[in-house]
């Protein structure tokens, strides 16, 4: 039996003063997260501003990660595009380099599409990939995509592509959905994106998380995954993060932890959080994590 998926950091992406990806800083941070207890690194996800990272840039980052000694089975690649051709090409880049998984979001530009249309899109991506297709984690994040992956759709896809669909990352923040997902498809790799629901998910079969908070609190999250115990500090800090634009807030926490202000930069259309917000986040973190887990 394969080992539990564990904790994957939804790696944030640093940019230099010219707006280019600061690749050496990014690879160093990936190594830091792995050393802190993460079992893998997820590149180009939501926290990593993946929708703002181009195909050529992605290849350069993946190659740099491998050159830095990060193993292919420690890499997950997020794919957050609408065109089948683009989704297949970005997936192919990572799969040809033996990445562990692809985190594949549904198309999101066209609204109010049904399960038949979504099934057709995923099927077209898998067909275009051909023999390379494997290890796909379907990405449920309706707050961003406005698409909620139904349990029926997941069932149809896994039945039609049993060697391709490996699991689901659920970032919906809806515990009722997460619980139903685990009951219906718990033999797949079910991962939780909302850290508030991580402990209860693990207790009923969840295999871990792809987490933005792991950029700066990997140890605490790994403990939750290994023990299944609630940690009120983590739950409270998620609420603090949600009180700000989350992606730049995570980068602000990494900047604070490392002392490197390059992490504050985001790509347009995102904007960095203000100094006052950064101070509020830092104070909340200190207040919560200076205490023992409850």
């Amino acid at each position: 039996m394969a080992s539990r998926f564990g904790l994957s950091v939804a790696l944030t992406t640093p940019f230099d003063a010219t707006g280019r990806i600061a690749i050496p800083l990014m690879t160093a941070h990936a190594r830091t997260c792995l050393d802190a207890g993460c079992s893998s690194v997820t590149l180009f996800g939501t926290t990593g501003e993946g929708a703002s990272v181009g195909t050529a840039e992605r290849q350069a980052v993946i190659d740099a990660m491998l050159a830095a000694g990060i193993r292919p089975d420690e890499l997950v690649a997020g794919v957050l595009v609408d065109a089948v051709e683009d989704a297949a090409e970005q997936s192919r880049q990572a799969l040809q380099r033996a990445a562990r998984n692809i985190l594949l979001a549904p198309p999101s530009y066209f609204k109010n599409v049904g399960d038949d249309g979504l099934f057709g899109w995923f099927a077209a991506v898998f067909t275009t990939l051909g023999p390379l297709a494997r290890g796909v984690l379907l990405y449920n994040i309706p707050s961003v995509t406005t698409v909620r992956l139904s349990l029926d759709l997941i069932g149809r896809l896994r039945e039609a592509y049993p060697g391709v669909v490996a699991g689901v990352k659920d970032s919906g923040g809806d515990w009722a959905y997460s619980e139903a997902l685990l009951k219906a498809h718990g033999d797949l790799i079910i991962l939780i994106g909302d850290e508030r629901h991580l402990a209860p998910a693990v207790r009923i079969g969840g295999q871990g998380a792809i987490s933005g908070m792991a950029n700066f609190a990997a140890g605490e999250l790994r403990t939750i995954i290994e023990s299944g115990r609630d940690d009120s500090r983590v739950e409270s800090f998620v609420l603090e993060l949600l009180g700000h634009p989350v992606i730049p807030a995570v980068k602000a926490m990494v900047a604070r932890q490392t002392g490197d202000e390059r992490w504050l930069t985001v790509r347009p259309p995102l904007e960095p959080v203000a100094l006052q917000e950064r101070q509020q986040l830092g104070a909340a973190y200190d207040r919560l994590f200076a205490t023992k887990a409850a």
Side-chain angles (χ1 to χ4, degrees):
M1 180 178 176
S3 61
R4 181 187 290 187
F5 183 92
L7 176 63
S8 187
V9 56
L11 201 74
T12 187
T13 303
F15 302 104
D16 64 22
T18 69
R20 295 181 179 178
I21 297 175
I23 292 180
L25 182 60
M26 190 173 181
T27 57
H29 183 52
R31 172 51 59 196
T32 296
C33 292
L34 290 168
D35 291 345
C38 294
S39 55
S40 63
V41 173
T42 296
L43 306 171
F44 321 124
T46 304
T47 303
E49 298 172 68
S52 295
V53 178
T55 300
E57 291 180 303
R58 295 166 62 94
Q59 181 170 322
V61 169
I62 295 172
D63 288 344
M65 292 282 172
L66 297 173
I70 295 171
R71 302 191 312 269
D73 66 354
E74 294 176 319
L75 293 176
V76 176
V79 174
L80 319 175
V81 291
D82 282 358
V84 166
E85 179 183 359
D86 293 339
E89 177 57 27
Q90 291 187 6
S91 298
R92 184 181 294 112
Q93 275 183 349
L95 292 169
Q96 286 177 335
R97 290 162 176 79
R100 177 173 182 168
N101 294 101
I102 300 298
L103 176 63
L104 182 58
S108 59
Y109 185 84
F110 297 105
K111 309 305 179 188
N112 302 314
V113 297
D115 278 3
D116 288 346
L118 291 170
F119 180 90
W121 185 88
F122 281 108
V125 174
F126 300 157
T127 300
T128 303
L129 281 170
L132 277 176
R134 62 160 181 83
V136 173
L137 303 170
L138 305 174
Y139 192 6
N140 182 60
I141 182 166
S143 63
V144 174
T145 62
T146 72
V147 177
R148 189 185 196 195
L149 299 180
S150 72
L151 302 185
D152 287 345
L153 174 62
I154 294 166
R156 288 175 62 186
L157 287 168
R158 65 176 299 190
E159 182 177 354
Y161 300 94
V164 177
V165 175
V168 181
K169 181 196 175 184
D170 176 25
S171 293
D174 177 357
W175 172 244
Y177 174 92
S178 301
E179 188 175 30
L181 174 65
L182 280 157
K183 288 179 179 177
H185 301 296
D187 55 325
L188 295 177
I189 298 169
I190 305 299
L191 306 174
I192 301 299
D194 187 329
E195 296 88 349
R196 293 173 296 177
H197 299 155
L198 180 54
V202 168
R203 291 196 291 267
I204 59 172
Q207 285 203 28
I210 297 177
S211 165
M213 205 172 156
N215 281 280
F216 55 87
E220 290 81 1
L221 293 169
R222 179 172 176 171
T223 297
I224 293 173
I225 291 170
E226 291 177 345
S227 69
R229 291 195 300 268
D230 296 299
D231 186 334
S232 61
R233 302 170 305 169
V234 168
E235 296 166 20
S236 295
F237 196 71
V238 170
L239 292 175
E240 292 286 345
L241 284 172
L242 292 174
H244 306 272
V246 173
I247 296 168
V250 169
K251 296 185 104 167
M253 289 302 301
V254 177
R256 183 177 189 267
Q257 192 173 74
T258 62
D260 191 334
E261 292 199 349
R262 287 179 293 176
W263 286 106
L264 297 174
T265 302
V266 291
R267 270 190 174 167
L270 299 183
E271 300 175 61
V273 293
L275 175 60
Q276 183 178 1
E277 292 180 277
R278 302 202 305 267
Q279 292 172 336
Q280 290 172 351
L281 283 165
Y285 184 85
D286 290 345
R287 182 179 67 253
L288 289 165
F289 288 90
T291 61
K292 293 182 179 180

